[in-house]
Amino acid sequence: MKVYFKILSVVFIIIFCLCFDAKAQEDSRIEKFNISKILSEMLVFNKSSSKEGEKSELSRFSTAVFPISFEAAFRAAMLVEMSLGRVPVMVDKIGGVLTTSDSPLKILSGSVFVSYYFEPLGKNKTRVYIRTKAFHFTEGILGGWDTDDETFGTLHHLHTVLLYVKTAMTKEAEIQKIVKELSNPQEVIKTLKAKYNL
């Protein structure tokens, strides 16, 4: 049941992202954020290559260049991970590394670990790398630890990437709005005074 719910949520996010992309094209502040291109880079170009007779699998590693600042990229990752119930196990903002887990104290069957690496390429350009690992234990004679479970690892990775792309676009728009407002602080103060009768 959990798997079907996650698949349905992924489909919903894809539809939502495409609708949001159409709306974003009207907004000149985030016009440069091409959500379709970035999703294509993250989920198709990084796809595992398939040999003859083998199924092609979605990768559990993705990378793409985002037209956003390093700050926005990092904050978007923190928001996504908190929303998915994962907590940071390693944060190195200077080095541009973030690793999270839904079971940080122990590696348990079903545990998910996600690592981000942020590479600043300019003022408003950041390459983001995302790697997902899902640990799974199978009982029985042929059982044991699969340190990168194909089914659940891929599903968690897809879910993370879709949420991250949507959040990154929204987060950059918010940052641009804040910067625009702070560039004219007197106007902001005047508005707040009028709003709250100060």
Side-chain angles (χ1 to χ4, degrees):
M1 189 70 181
K2 275 186 175 181
V3 176
Y4 292 118
F5 176 75
K6 284 188 179 289
I7 290 169
L8 283 172
S9 66
V10 165
V11 171
F12 172 77
I13 291 166
I14 290 172
I15 294 166
F16 185 81
C17 284
L18 291 172
C19 293
F20 198 79
D21 185 37
K23 187 183 176 185
Q25 295 304 321
E26 296 169 14
D27 192 342
S28 60
R29 286 179 296 133
I30 53 175
E31 190 177 357
K32 59 185 177 177
F33 200 112
N34 188 336
I35 199 167
S36 304
K37 181 179 177 288
I38 289 172
L39 276 175
S40 178
E41 274 186 63
M42 296 288 275
L43 299 173
V44 179
F45 294 156
N46 297 291
K47 204 172 177 182
S48 300
S49 56
S50 59
K51 296 175 184 176
E52 273 186 48
E54 289 183 10
K55 283 185 177 178
S56 177
E57 299 170 8
L58 276 171
S59 176
R60 289 170 298 284
F61 174 83
S62 293
T63 179
V65 175
F66 286 74
I68 62 176
S69 65
F70 175 86
E71 287 287 329
F74 200 92
R75 288 174 183 170
M78 290 297 287
L79 284 172
V80 168
E81 294 308 299
M82 285 192 296
S83 71
L84 292 173
R86 297 191 287 249
V87 297
V89 291
M90 189 188 78
V91 181
D92 180 1
K93 197 171 178 186
I94 295 169
V97 178
L98 170 67
T99 301
T100 66
S101 173
D102 57 0
S103 57
L105 299 176
K106 295 179 181 177
I107 298 175
L108 305 170
S109 187
S111 297
V112 178
F113 285 78
V114 179
S115 292
Y116 293 82
Y117 174 64
F118 306 93
E119 182 184 3
L121 302 174
K123 189 180 177 182
N124 287 310
K125 192 180 276 190
T126 309
R127 178 171 282 281
V128 180
Y129 301 83
I130 303 175
R131 174 75 169 98
T132 307
K133 274 203 168 195
F135 293 87
H136 181 69
F137 186 81
T138 309
E139 294 179 0
I141 299 167
L142 300 172
W145 281 99
D146 178 353
T147 56
D148 199 0
D149 183 72
E150 289 180 9
T151 308
F152 293 104
T154 301
L155 197 58
H156 282 290
H157 185 75
L158 183 63
H159 207 196
T160 302
V161 167
L162 289 169
L163 277 175
Y164 182 78
V165 174
K166 176 189 171 291
T167 307
M169 181 167 62
T170 309
K171 196 68 187 165
E172 178 67 2
E174 286 173 6
I175 287 172
Q176 287 178 0
K177 186 181 176 183
I178 290 164
V179 169
K180 188 178 177 183
E181 286 178 354
L182 291 178
S183 64
N184 192 354
Q186 294 303 321
E187 192 62 37
V188 175
I189 291 165
K190 188 179 173 184
T191 305
L192 290 172
K193 279 182 175 178
K195 187 175 180 180
Y196 297 105
N197 298 318
L198 298 171

